[in-house]
Amino acid sequence: MIGTFARTCETFMPRGISLGNQEYRLGYRSDIEGLRAVAILLVVAAHAKVTWLAGGFVGVDVFFVLSGYLITGILWREISETGGIRFANFYARRFRRLLPALLTMLACTCLFAAAALPPGDQGSQATGAATAALWLSNIYFAFAHINYFDPNATSNLFLHTWSLGVEEQFYLIWPALMVLTLGWWRSEGAPAGRLITVMSVIAIVSLLACLSFTQTAPRMAFYLMPWRAWQFAIGSLVWLRFGSIRGGGTSDLMPLGSALAYRGLGWLGLALILISALWFDANTSYPGWHALLPTIGAAAVILAGIHSAGNSGISRVLSWSPLQRIGRLSYSWYLWHWPVLLLGGAIFVTDSALYRAALVILSLLIAAWSYRWVESPIRQQARWTIRPAVTVLSALALMAFVNVACITWFNAAGAWQGSPTQQRYAVARSDIPAIYKMGCDEWYYSDKVKPCVFGPDNAAHTAVLIGDSIGGQWFPAVFAVFNRPDWRLVVLTKSACPMVDELMFYPRIGRNYTECTIWRRQALRDIAKMRPDIVVMGSVQTSDFTQTQWVEGTARVLKTISDASGHIYLLRGTPHLPFDGPNCLSSRSWWPWLHPWKSTCDAPAYSARDNDVYRWLQQASSGFVNVEVVDLNSKVCPGNTCHAESHGRIIFRDSQHLTATFVESLSAHLANILHLEAPSQADPPR
């Protein structure tokens, strides 16, 4: 099959081209190895939650530029010396270089995850592994259905493999694109000029698409190769215009200029990369125009290195021996650091900086082992390219085998989750208020206000429950309190939309949560028109607002409805556990010897930040005579300690939301706070 494809491509090559058998490499560049080290250090720092390097994810952008530069250089040299590309040989080299270490990581991580993670978590992990084995995980993560209450939405062990999928898809099309361009119906003119034209067009079109989709479909812009192609193309253009200075390029296309200018360019490039890492964070709309900084920075560093030949400036710094050693391990370390961090967090109930540092060191040691015994030995064996078509087909078969093994794990996890003990925790996770099945809450998919109304329209009194999912979790108790003949209850909720009048960037969707702003404004107007007797309002207390935003934004919300409402009860946000409640409980009965630290599944009820937000809510409400801030956390976490389970009842259905069953049990206490009679034991709607 591969051989047929290669022979077919001959028809698109310039006259006289033949397919070569030689394995083409570029000369070793210590500055590029050092740049790899900088990139992986930034990525690991960001994933290890080094707060001042939260933007370290830009290291992936650096890798994309490097790939564009190096792969274009390898292919250009082969074309220059032989007149063509041996496709099977190229893909065999890529498989030999990348696949063994990837499959080793997948196999080890899957086996450990099957033992360390509760069955309820294993299904999504198996799906991620199955797609990673085929280098398609970026497509999976781009189009995977997002469930607001899914605890695994951002904690997949194989989430980091998305960038490997992007790179492999680039490797798949780039050789054919170059051959087609150079064989452009045997057109006249300099072949390098034609390549530069095509790569420039790709860079411009892809960048414009990336800018647009970052605003409208950020997940696609982030994960999919066509919207990242401009970064590879920029690396490619650096080679095509300057590559001959280090061998085999086109020196006649542009003069290098002064050594001083290029030395300054190198330092500027590194500065752009580091500024991006220091400036960006999870609230940055990415990639978009922000990705230009690390991309241009990487291209500048590469270009400066072409001129200096590692003798001065930034190239000399990047040639520092510790960076060289880290650069050599960069691929293996990238593969291992993320699953080690997540699995380590799944075993130990702690998130201390010292513990994360220990996990980082452990991942580096495993990466060194993988490089020494897996990646390096296979990479240095030429026999894998003697019969490249056989190597490619064997690699594809191995990838398919691992994919099937992951699917088998997925099915087994489903069976394990069905056991009576595990089923109890699965039921707790789905123990959510009935309003989510009634269409009241459409999360970010819509900005339309869709109230759920309970009780007669002509009731003498009206109560309103409004808030995000933390406010909405109180519905079972609120319904029980107002399930009276003379009361009508109106529920207005929007998940992840706090009752703070501030525009917010929402990392889960990768952009400003404009739907929240529009929805909140209209919902408050609707409440003012209702003129309710009682309003119960609740929000998460972990939103990343400043003190000024909490105080002034909350006050603006209250001002909109206070004059038209009888009394407003502002609920304090419930505590946020450092672990997932059902997962912790499930882990205790699933290979419990791996989880001795989860024997209690307890956590402190309060933190300094929580207490600050509570105080700011009180400050915001102090100017309103009919507003009262209510703290129910003494009932949620008695004795200042939160328990995932208490007296046989599961309290939390994830790390921050309470189970509907537990909330309903607090209805009498809520009625007392609202100065109403205790409710009758009527079942809430299901």
Side-chain angles (χ1 to χ4, degrees):
M1 178 181 69
I2 299 296
T4 301
F5 176 60
R7 289 191 295 273
T8 301
C9 286
E10 278 190 275
T11 61
F12 297 100
M13 295 181 184
R15 193 184 306 272
I17 282 182
S18 62
L19 296 177
N21 298 317
Q22 184 179 354
E23 180 173 344
Y24 290 87
R25 298 172 181 265
L26 299 181
Y28 177 77
R29 280 185 53 179
S30 58
D31 61 314
I32 285 183
E33 197 80 303
L35 188 56
R36 284 195 184 101
V38 171
I40 187 60
L41 286 170
L42 291 177
V43 170
V44 172
H47 289 167
K49 301 180 182 178
V50 178
T51 54
W52 53 278
L53 283 176
F57 53 80
V58 300
V60 172
D61 302 76
V62 175
F63 283 127
F64 288 165
V65 178
L66 283 171
S67 292
Y69 175 82
L70 295 171
I71 294 303
T72 300
I74 291 172
L75 295 174
W76 174 260
R77 180 165 294 180
E78 182 173 356
I79 291 171
S80 299
E81 297 185 10
T82 70
I85 297 174
R86 190 174 179 84
F87 283 81
N89 221 354
F90 172 80
Y91 294 126
R93 293 196 303 270
R94 292 296 90 201
F95 282 130
R96 181 188 65 178
R97 169 72 178 87
L98 302 173
L99 190 61
L102 171 66
L103 295 186
T104 300
M105 182 276 294
L106 289 177
C108 295
T109 302
C110 289
L111 289 173
F112 195 86
L117 299 181
D121 274 1
Q122 294 182 28
S124 61
Q125 306 293 351
T127 304
T131 55
L134 302 178
W135 278 311
L136 296 174
S137 60
N138 63 314
I139 298 176
Y140 165 67
F141 292 121
F143 292 103
H145 175 67
I146 307 175
N147 180 354
Y148 178 77
F149 297 112
D150 182 4
N152 298 309
T154 57
S155 60
N156 194 288
L157 294 169
F158 310 100
L159 180 63
H160 65 311
T161 63
W162 75 268
S163 64
L164 305 181
V166 171
E167 293 220 18
E168 285 305 315
Q169 290 148 31
F170 157 73
Y171 297 150
L172 180 65
I173 69 168
W174 217 248
L177 180 63
M178 291 183 67
V179 168
L180 290 172
T181 301
L182 294 174
W184 208 339
W185 306 115
R186 301 178 175 86
S187 58
E188 300 297 330
R194 269 179 276 152
L195 271 178
I196 290 174
T197 299
V198 170
M199 299 306 170
S200 298
V201 171
I202 290 173
I204 293 172
V205 173
S206 175
L207 175 58
L208 291 176
C210 178
L211 294 172
S212 174
F213 274 74
T214 298
Q215 301 302 316
T216 59
R219 290 172 64 85
M220 294 178 63
F222 188 90
Y223 286 117
L224 298 185
M225 192 274 290
W227 288 268
R228 294 289 193 146
W230 64 276
Q231 297 177 297
F232 296 100
I234 286 178
S236 176
L237 287 169
V238 173
W239 172 269
L240 292 170
R241 299 187 71 91
F242 301 99
S244 66
I245 296 167
R246 298 301 288 268
T250 56
S251 60
D252 59 322
L253 290 175
M254 183 177 290
L256 273 176
S258 69
L260 182 61
Y262 277 87
R263 187 176 301 177
L265 182 65
W267 287 111
L268 176 61
L270 182 62
L272 288 175
I273 296 171
L274 296 180
I275 288 172
S276 301
L278 293 167
W279 178 17
F280 301 163
D281 56 24
N283 295 324
T284 302
S285 182
Y286 208 82
W289 69 266
H290 294 93
L292 284 167
L293 272 66
T295 301
I296 294 174
V301 172
I302 296 171
L303 180 54
I306 291 175
H307 179 70
S308 68
N311 297 323
S312 61
I314 189 64
S315 296
R316 188 171 185 176
V317 173
L318 293 175
S319 299
W320 187 38
S321 57
L323 290 180
Q324 297 298 292
R325 288 192 288 269
I326 293 174
R328 283 192 291 273
L329 297 176
S330 59
Y331 177 59
S332 288
W333 199 11
Y334 185 83
L335 288 174
W336 285 101
H337 80 282
W338 181 248
V340 168
L341 285 170
L342 290 190
L343 287 173
I347 294 176
F348 297 90
V349 185
T350 179
D351 194 36
S352 69
L354 183 62
Y355 177 59
R356 293 196 302 271
L359 291 177
V360 167
I361 294 172
L362 175 62
S363 69
L364 181 59
L365 294 175
I366 297 175
W369 169 87
S370 177
Y371 178 82
R372 172 64 179 83
W373 298 105
V374 179
E375 181 182 345
S376 185
I378 296 177
R379 182 181 181 182
Q380 294 173 1
Q381 292 179 2
R383 63 182 180 181
W384 299 104
T385 57
I386 294 176
R387 301 182 64 186
V390 174
T391 298
V392 171
L393 292 175
S394 299
L396 293 174
L398 185 58
M399 292 164 62
F401 173 79
V402 174
N403 176 267
V404 171
C406 292
I407 294 174
T408 303
W409 175 30
F410 177 90
N411 294 332
W416 299 333
Q417 189 178 1
S419 66
T421 302
Q422 296 297 325
Q423 187 64 27
R424 179 169 178 262
Y425 306 119
V427 170
R429 186 172 301 288
S430 60
D431 189 6
I432 63 177
I435 54 176
Y436 292 101
K437 301 176 183 178
M438 301 172 65
C440 307
D441 192 321
E442 292 188 325
W443 190 16
Y444 74 93
Y445 297 107
S446 170
D447 56 20
K448 295 181 180 179
V449 178
K450 295 185 177 181
C452 283
V453 182
F454 306 88
D457 292 336
N458 59 351
H461 304 286
T462 298
V464 173
L465 172 63
I466 182 172
D468 56 11
S469 61
I470 296 298
Q473 72 182 345
W474 291 103
F475 169 74
V478 172
F479 175 84
V481 169
F482 292 105
N483 185 29
R484 308 164 188 264
D486 55 342
W487 280 89
R488 179 177 67 129
L489 172 63
V490 179
V491 179
L492 302 168
T493 67
K494 191 164 192 63
S495 295
C497 183
M499 293 299 103
V500 181
D501 185 19
E502 295 283 347
L503 179 64
M504 58 176 284
F505 182 88
Y506 189 17
R508 287 278 294 274
I509 62 175
R511 58 175 172 79
N512 288 331
Y513 195 5
T514 54
E515 293 89 347
C516 170
T517 302
I518 298 171
W519 178 91
R520 182 175 53 232
R521 184 185 304 120
Q522 185 58 52
L524 293 174
R525 290 173 181 169
D526 290 350
I527 293 175
K529 294 177 181 178
M530 294 178 203
R531 305 190 68 82
D533 300 88
I534 291 178
V535 175
V536 179
M537 180 183 299
S539 293
V540 67
Q541 61 187 3
T542 55
S543 294
D544 192 23
F545 295 126
T546 65
Q547 176 180 355
T548 300
Q549 289 175 315
W550 271 109
V551 174
E552 296 182 359
T554 303
R556 285 193 294 271
V557 168
L558 296 174
K559 184 178 181 180
T560 304
I561 61 174
S562 61
D563 290 342
S565 304
H567 205 91
I568 301 173
Y569 295 93
L570 188 57
L571 303 181
R572 178 178 186 173
T574 45
H576 193 296
L577 303 179
F579 52 83
D580 182 280
N583 278 1
C584 183
L585 298 170
S586 177
S587 297
R588 293 192 308 179
S589 59
W590 180 256
W591 294 52
W593 62 271
L594 265 176
H595 304 277
W597 297 269
K598 292 186 177 180
S599 57
T600 58
C601 294
D602 297 341
Y606 301 102
S607 68
R609 172 70 178 181
D610 296 344
N611 292 332
D612 286 341
V613 173
Y614 181 49
R615 188 175 66 255
W616 297 337
L617 293 179
Q618 292 175 318
Q619 183 179 345
S621 63
S622 61
F624 303 90
V625 296
N626 61 339
V627 178
E628 179 181 349
V629 181
V630 175
D631 185 1
L632 295 170
N633 288 344
S634 61
K635 295 295 182 179
V636 176
C637 301
N640 294 336
T641 300
C642 296
H643 306 278
E645 182 178 22
S646 180
H647 302 294
R649 175 181 287 143
I650 298 177
I651 309 300
F652 289 84
R653 54 185 159 93
D654 51 31
S655 63
Q656 59 180 339
H657 297 95
L658 307 175
T659 61
T661 301
F662 172 71
V663 169
E664 187 180 358
S665 71
L666 300 180
S667 57
H669 180 68
L670 179 62
N672 183 57
I673 291 175
L674 302 182
H675 309 292
L676 296 172
E677 295 181 3
S680 60
Q681 297 300 316
D683 293 332
R686 299 292 181 183

